[in-house]
CSV table of all heavy atoms in Angstrom, one decimal:
chain,number,residue,atom,x,y,z
A,1220,LEU,N,9.7,-5.0,-4.1
A,1220,LEU,CA,10.5,-5.5,-2.9
A,1220,LEU,C,10.8,-7.0,-3.0
A,1220,LEU,O,11.8,-7.4,-2.4
A,1220,LEU,CB,9.6,-5.3,-1.7
A,1220,LEU,CG,9.4,-3.9,-1.1
A,1220,LEU,CD1,8.8,-4.1,0.3
A,1220,LEU,CD2,10.8,-3.2,-1.0
A,1226,ILE,N,11.6,-13.8,-0.4
A,1226,ILE,CA,10.6,-12.8,0.1
A,1226,ILE,C,11.2,-12.2,1.4
A,1226,ILE,O,11.6,-13.0,2.3
A,1226,ILE,CB,9.2,-13.5,0.4
A,1226,ILE,CG1,8.6,-13.9,-1.0
A,1226,ILE,CG2,8.3,-12.6,1.2
A,1226,ILE,CD1,7.1,-14.3,-0.9
A,1227,PRO,N,11.2,-10.9,1.5
A,1227,PRO,CA,11.7,-10.3,2.7
A,1227,PRO,C,10.9,-10.7,3.9
A,1227,PRO,O,9.7,-11.0,3.8
A,1227,PRO,CB,11.6,-8.8,2.5
A,1227,PRO,CG,10.9,-8.6,1.2
A,1227,PRO,CD,10.7,-9.9,0.5
A,1228,LEU,N,11.5,-10.8,5.1
A,1228,LEU,CA,10.8,-11.3,6.3
A,1228,LEU,C,10.1,-10.1,7.1
A,1228,LEU,O,9.0,-10.2,7.4
A,1228,LEU,CB,11.8,-12.0,7.2
A,1228,LEU,CG,12.4,-13.3,6.7
A,1228,LEU,CD1,13.4,-13.9,7.6
A,1228,LEU,CD2,11.2,-14.3,6.5
A,1229,LYS,N,10.9,-9.1,7.3
A,1229,LYS,CA,10.5,-8.1,8.2
A,1229,LYS,C,10.4,-6.7,7.4
A,1229,LYS,O,11.4,-6.2,6.9
A,1229,LYS,CB,11.5,-7.9,9.3
A,1229,LYS,CG,11.0,-7.1,10.5
A,1229,LYS,CD,12.1,-6.5,11.3
A,1229,LYS,CE,12.7,-7.3,12.3
A,1229,LYS,NZ,13.7,-6.5,13.1
A,1230,VAL,N,9.1,-6.2,7.3
A,1230,VAL,CA,8.9,-5.1,6.4
A,1230,VAL,C,8.2,-3.9,7.1
A,1230,VAL,O,7.3,-4.2,7.9
A,1230,VAL,CB,8.2,-5.5,5.1
A,1230,VAL,CG1,8.0,-4.3,4.2
A,1230,VAL,CG2,8.9,-6.6,4.4
A,1231,LEU,N,8.7,-2.7,6.9
A,1231,LEU,CA,8.1,-1.5,7.5
A,1231,LEU,C,7.3,-0.7,6.4
A,1231,LEU,O,7.8,-0.5,5.3
A,1231,LEU,CB,9.2,-0.6,8.0
A,1231,LEU,CG,8.8,0.8,8.6
A,1231,LEU,CD1,8.0,0.7,9.8
A,1231,LEU,CD2,10.1,1.6,8.8
A,1232,GLU,N,6.1,-0.3,6.7
A,1232,GLU,CA,5.4,0.6,5.9
A,1232,GLU,C,5.3,2.0,6.5
A,1232,GLU,O,5.0,2.1,7.7
A,1232,GLU,CB,3.9,0.1,5.7
A,1232,GLU,CG,3.1,1.1,4.8
A,1232,GLU,CD,1.6,0.7,4.8
A,1232,GLU,OE1,1.0,0.5,5.9
A,1232,GLU,OE2,0.9,0.8,3.8
A,1241,ALA,N,-1.1,-2.4,4.4
A,1241,ALA,CA,-0.5,-3.2,5.5
A,1241,ALA,C,-1.2,-4.6,5.5
A,1241,ALA,O,-0.5,-5.6,5.8
A,1241,ALA,CB,-0.8,-2.5,6.8
A,1244,MET,N,0.4,-6.6,2.9
A,1244,MET,CA,1.8,-6.9,3.3
A,1244,MET,C,1.7,-8.1,4.3
A,1244,MET,O,2.6,-8.9,4.3
A,1244,MET,CB,2.4,-5.7,3.9
A,1244,MET,CG,2.8,-4.6,2.9
A,1244,MET,SD,3.2,-3.0,3.6
A,1244,MET,CE,4.7,-3.4,4.5
A,1245,ASN,N,0.7,-8.1,5.2
A,1245,ASN,CA,0.6,-9.1,6.2
A,1245,ASN,C,0.5,-10.5,5.5
A,1245,ASN,O,1.0,-11.5,6.1
A,1245,ASN,CB,-0.6,-8.8,7.0
A,1245,ASN,CG,-0.9,-9.9,8.0
A,1245,ASN,OD1,-0.2,-10.0,9.1
A,1245,ASN,ND2,-1.8,-10.8,7.7
A,1246,GLN,N,-0.1,-10.5,4.3
A,1246,GLN,CA,-0.3,-11.8,3.6
A,1246,GLN,C,1.0,-12.3,3.0
A,1246,GLN,O,1.1,-13.4,2.6
A,1246,GLN,CB,-1.4,-11.7,2.5
A,1246,GLN,CG,-2.7,-11.2,3.0
A,1246,GLN,CD,-3.3,-12.1,4.1
A,1246,GLN,OE1,-2.9,-12.0,5.2
A,1246,GLN,NE2,-4.2,-12.9,3.7
A,1247,LEU,N,2.0,-11.3,2.9
A,1247,LEU,CA,3.2,-11.6,2.1
A,1247,LEU,C,4.4,-11.9,3.1
A,1247,LEU,O,5.3,-12.7,2.8
A,1247,LEU,CB,3.6,-10.5,1.3
A,1247,LEU,CG,3.1,-10.4,-0.2
A,1247,LEU,CD1,3.4,-9.0,-0.7
A,1247,LEU,CD2,3.7,-11.5,-1.0
A,1248,PHE,N,4.5,-11.1,4.1
A,1248,PHE,CA,5.7,-11.0,4.9
A,1248,PHE,C,5.4,-11.6,6.3
A,1248,PHE,O,4.3,-11.5,6.9
A,1248,PHE,CB,6.2,-9.6,5.0
A,1248,PHE,CG,6.3,-8.9,3.7
A,1248,PHE,CD1,5.6,-7.7,3.5
A,1248,PHE,CD2,7.1,-9.4,2.7
A,1248,PHE,CE1,5.7,-7.0,2.2
A,1248,PHE,CE2,7.2,-8.8,1.5
A,1248,PHE,CZ,6.5,-7.6,1.2
A,1249,ASN,N,6.5,-12.1,7.0
A,1249,ASN,CA,6.4,-12.6,8.3
A,1249,ASN,C,6.0,-11.6,9.4
A,1249,ASN,O,5.2,-11.8,10.2
A,1249,ASN,CB,7.8,-13.1,8.7
A,1249,ASN,CG,7.9,-14.6,8.6
A,1249,ASN,OD1,7.1,-15.2,7.9
A,1249,ASN,ND2,8.9,-15.2,9.3
A,1250,GLN,N,6.7,-10.4,9.3
A,1250,GLN,CA,6.5,-9.4,10.3
A,1250,GLN,C,6.2,-8.0,9.6
A,1250,GLN,O,7.0,-7.6,8.7
A,1250,GLN,CB,7.7,-9.2,11.2
A,1250,GLN,CG,7.9,-10.3,12.2
A,1250,GLN,CD,9.1,-9.9,13.0
A,1250,GLN,OE1,10.3,-10.2,12.5
A,1250,GLN,NE2,9.0,-9.4,14.2
A,1251,VAL,N,5.1,-7.4,9.9
A,1251,VAL,CA,4.8,-6.1,9.3
A,1251,VAL,C,4.6,-5.0,10.4
A,1251,VAL,O,4.0,-5.2,11.4
A,1251,VAL,CB,3.5,-6.2,8.5
A,1251,VAL,CG1,3.1,-4.8,7.9
A,1251,VAL,CG2,3.6,-7.2,7.3
A,1252,PHE,N,5.3,-3.9,10.1
A,1252,PHE,CA,5.3,-2.8,11.0
A,1252,PHE,C,4.8,-1.6,10.1
A,1252,PHE,O,5.2,-1.5,9.0
A,1252,PHE,CB,6.7,-2.4,11.5
A,1252,PHE,CG,7.3,-3.6,12.3
A,1252,PHE,CD1,7.9,-4.6,11.7
A,1252,PHE,CD2,7.2,-3.6,13.7
A,1252,PHE,CE1,8.4,-5.7,12.4
A,1252,PHE,CE2,7.7,-4.6,14.5
A,1252,PHE,CZ,8.4,-5.6,13.8
A,1253,THR,N,3.9,-0.8,10.7
A,1253,THR,CA,3.4,0.4,9.9
A,1253,THR,C,3.3,1.6,10.8
A,1253,THR,O,2.9,1.5,12.0
A,1253,THR,CB,2.0,0.0,9.2
A,1253,THR,OG1,1.6,1.1,8.5
A,1253,THR,CG2,0.9,-0.4,10.2
A,1275,GLN,N,-1.7,-9.3,13.8
A,1275,GLN,CA,-0.2,-9.3,14.0
A,1275,GLN,C,0.5,-8.1,13.5
A,1275,GLN,O,1.7,-7.9,13.8
A,1275,GLN,CB,0.4,-10.6,13.6
A,1275,GLN,CG,0.1,-11.2,12.2
A,1275,GLN,CD,-1.3,-11.7,11.9
A,1275,GLN,OE1,-2.3,-11.0,12.2
A,1275,GLN,NE2,-1.3,-12.7,11.2
A,1276,VAL,N,-0.2,-7.3,12.6
A,1276,VAL,CA,0.5,-6.1,12.1
A,1276,VAL,C,0.7,-5.1,13.3
A,1276,VAL,O,-0.2,-4.9,14.1
A,1276,VAL,CB,-0.4,-5.4,11.0
A,1276,VAL,CG1,0.2,-4.0,10.6
A,1276,VAL,CG2,-0.6,-6.3,9.8
A,1277,ARG,N,2.0,-4.6,13.4
A,1277,ARG,CA,2.3,-3.7,14.5
A,1277,ARG,C,2.2,-2.3,14.0
A,1277,ARG,O,2.9,-1.9,13.1
A,1277,ARG,CB,3.7,-4.0,15.0
A,1277,ARG,CG,4.0,-5.4,15.3
A,1277,ARG,CD,3.7,-5.7,16.8
A,1277,ARG,NE,4.5,-5.0,17.7
A,1277,ARG,CZ,5.7,-5.4,18.2
A,1277,ARG,NH1,6.1,-6.6,17.8
A,1277,ARG,NH2,6.3,-4.7,19.0
A,1287,TRP,N,11.4,3.3,12.5
A,1287,TRP,CA,11.1,2.7,13.8
A,1287,TRP,C,12.3,1.9,14.3
A,1287,TRP,O,12.4,0.7,14.2
A,1287,TRP,CB,9.9,1.7,13.6
A,1287,TRP,CG,9.2,1.3,14.8
A,1287,TRP,CD1,9.6,1.4,16.1
A,1287,TRP,CD2,7.8,0.8,14.9
A,1287,TRP,NE1,8.6,1.0,17.0
A,1287,TRP,CE2,7.5,0.6,16.2
A,1287,TRP,CE3,6.9,0.4,13.9
A,1287,TRP,CZ2,6.3,0.0,16.6
A,1287,TRP,CZ3,5.7,-0.1,14.3
A,1287,TRP,CH2,5.4,-0.3,15.7
A,1289,THR,N,13.6,0.9,17.0
A,1289,THR,CA,13.5,-0.2,17.9
A,1289,THR,C,13.5,-1.6,17.2
A,1289,THR,O,14.0,-2.6,17.7
A,1289,THR,CB,12.2,-0.1,18.8
A,1289,THR,OG1,12.0,1.2,19.0
A,1289,THR,CG2,12.4,-0.9,20.0
A,1290,HIS,N,12.8,-1.6,16.0
A,1290,HIS,CA,12.6,-2.8,15.3
A,1290,HIS,C,13.5,-3.0,14.1
A,1290,HIS,O,13.5,-4.0,13.4
A,1290,HIS,CB,11.2,-3.0,14.8
A,1290,HIS,CG,10.2,-3.1,16.0
A,1290,HIS,ND1,10.2,-4.2,16.8
A,1290,HIS,CD2,9.3,-2.2,16.5
A,1290,HIS,CE1,9.3,-4.0,17.7
A,1290,HIS,NE2,8.8,-2.8,17.6
A,1291,ALA,N,14.4,-2.0,13.8
A,1291,ALA,CA,15.3,-2.0,12.7
A,1291,ALA,C,16.4,-3.1,13.0
A,1291,ALA,O,16.6,-3.4,14.2
A,1291,ALA,CB,15.9,-0.7,12.5
A,1292,PRO,N,17.0,-3.7,12.0
A,1292,PRO,CA,16.9,-3.3,10.6
A,1292,PRO,C,15.7,-4.1,9.9
A,1292,PRO,O,15.3,-5.1,10.3
A,1292,PRO,CB,18.2,-3.8,10.0
A,1292,PRO,CG,18.6,-5.0,10.8
A,1292,PRO,CD,18.1,-4.7,12.2
A,1293,PHE,N,15.2,-3.5,8.8
A,1293,PHE,CA,14.1,-4.1,8.0
A,1293,PHE,C,14.7,-4.6,6.7
A,1293,PHE,O,15.5,-4.0,6.1
A,1293,PHE,CB,13.1,-3.0,7.8
A,1293,PHE,CG,12.5,-2.4,9.0
A,1293,PHE,CD1,12.9,-1.2,9.5
A,1293,PHE,CD2,11.5,-3.1,9.7
A,1293,PHE,CE1,12.4,-0.7,10.7
A,1293,PHE,CE2,10.9,-2.6,10.9
A,1293,PHE,CZ,11.4,-1.4,11.4
A,1294,ASP,N,14.0,-5.7,6.3
A,1294,ASP,CA,14.4,-6.3,5.0
A,1294,ASP,C,13.8,-5.5,3.8
A,1294,ASP,O,14.2,-5.6,2.7
A,1294,ASP,CB,14.0,-7.8,4.9
A,1294,ASP,CG,14.5,-8.6,6.0
A,1294,ASP,OD1,15.8,-8.5,6.3
A,1294,ASP,OD2,13.7,-9.3,6.8
A,1295,GLY,N,12.7,-4.9,4.2
A,1295,GLY,CA,12.0,-4.1,3.2
A,1295,GLY,C,11.3,-2.9,3.8
A,1295,GLY,O,10.9,-3.0,5.0
A,1296,ILE,N,11.3,-1.7,3.1
A,1296,ILE,CA,10.5,-0.6,3.6
A,1296,ILE,C,9.7,0.0,2.4
A,1296,ILE,O,10.2,0.1,1.3
A,1296,ILE,CB,11.5,0.5,4.1
A,1296,ILE,CG1,12.3,0.0,5.3
A,1296,ILE,CG2,10.7,1.8,4.5
A,1296,ILE,CD1,13.3,1.0,5.9
Side-chain angles (χ1 to χ4, degrees):
L1220 282 194
I1226 292 193
L1228 293 174
K1229 197 207 272 188
V1230 182
L1231 172 69
E1232 177 193 43
M1244 289 166 65
N1245 177 77
Q1246 306 300 80
L1247 272 171
F1248 310 123
N1249 259 19
Q1250 284 181 280
V1251 176
F1252 299 83
T1253 182
Q1275 50 292 43
V1276 173
R1277 307 271 297 270
W1287 198 340
T1289 325
H1290 296 290
F1293 299 98
D1294 305 310
I1296 300 180

